[in-house]
Amino acid sequence: MKTVQIIPSLVAHRMAANKDDPPDGPRREDGDGESKTGIVTKTRPKTKKPNLYKVLLLNDDFTPMEFVVLVLQRFFNKGQEDATRIMLHVHHKGVGICGVYTYEVAETKVTQVMDFSRQHGHPLQCTMEKE
């Protein structure tokens, strides 16, 4: 490691020669070759919160209630009680909210549910809509 020794008289001489310029400030040259000092400001971009989407299950007369509960537990991390409550809401009202997610997550969940339902021979419908 190299040690630098500052000589007070050199520092004072340098500051006197450039008393109008801050010692650490940014400088730019104008077209006439003179150095100018200025203030550099950074603007931070405002971050916008992502839009959220509701993932919905639609009722049908063919998909077993137990299968709907399984889907809610497996893909939406619902407990037995919450999954049963949502399933009954879907059964009685025709539609129910499984969760609210960003676009990409909601889209993935819809695809997973639809694929899983088809693999098991059920016509369960899952959609998403902007909140």
Side-chain angles (χ1 to χ4, degrees):
M1 178 186 254
K2 190 173 184 179
T3 306
V4 177
Q5 182 179 9
I6 299 177
I7 302 171
S9 61
L10 287 176
V11 172
H13 175 70
R14 173 127 172 94
M15 288 183 74
N18 298 318
K19 64 183 174 192
D20 294 334
D21 293 341
D24 295 334
R27 297 172 188 247
R28 64 179 174 86
E29 295 217 1
D30 284 347
D32 59 4
E34 289 186 31
S35 290
K36 301 287 182 183
T37 58
I39 297 173
V40 176
T41 58
K42 288 185 179 179
T43 56
R44 291 186 181 178
K46 297 265 183 178
T47 54
K48 182 181 160 191
K49 289 188 178 181
N51 292 324
L52 296 177
Y53 291 80
K54 296 183 277 190
V55 176
L56 307 170
L57 276 182
L58 306 178
N59 188 40
D60 64 69
D61 294 333
F62 305 102
T63 305
M65 292 180 176
E66 296 80 18
F67 184 78
V68 176
V69 170
L70 174 67
V71 165
L72 289 163
Q73 290 175 319
R74 183 171 185 163
F75 297 105
F76 299 98
N77 298 318
K78 303 293 182 188
Q80 180 72 34
E81 203 171 290
D82 281 343
T84 302
R85 183 181 49 76
I86 294 168
M87 177 274 300
L88 287 173
H89 182 85
V90 170
H91 181 69
H92 293 294
K93 304 290 182 179
V95 65
I97 300 172
C98 303
V100 180
Y101 307 95
T102 59
Y103 181 83
E104 292 80 10
V105 174
E107 187 177 43
T108 300
K109 298 241 183 228
V110 167
T111 302
Q112 289 174 332
V113 169
M114 296 292 285
D115 290 347
F116 188 70
S117 296
R118 298 307 161 266
Q119 288 170 1
H120 289 84
H122 299 297
L124 183 64
Q125 293 292 308
C126 187
T127 62
M128 60 189 258
E129 71 178 35
K130 197 170 186 179
E131 186 172 48

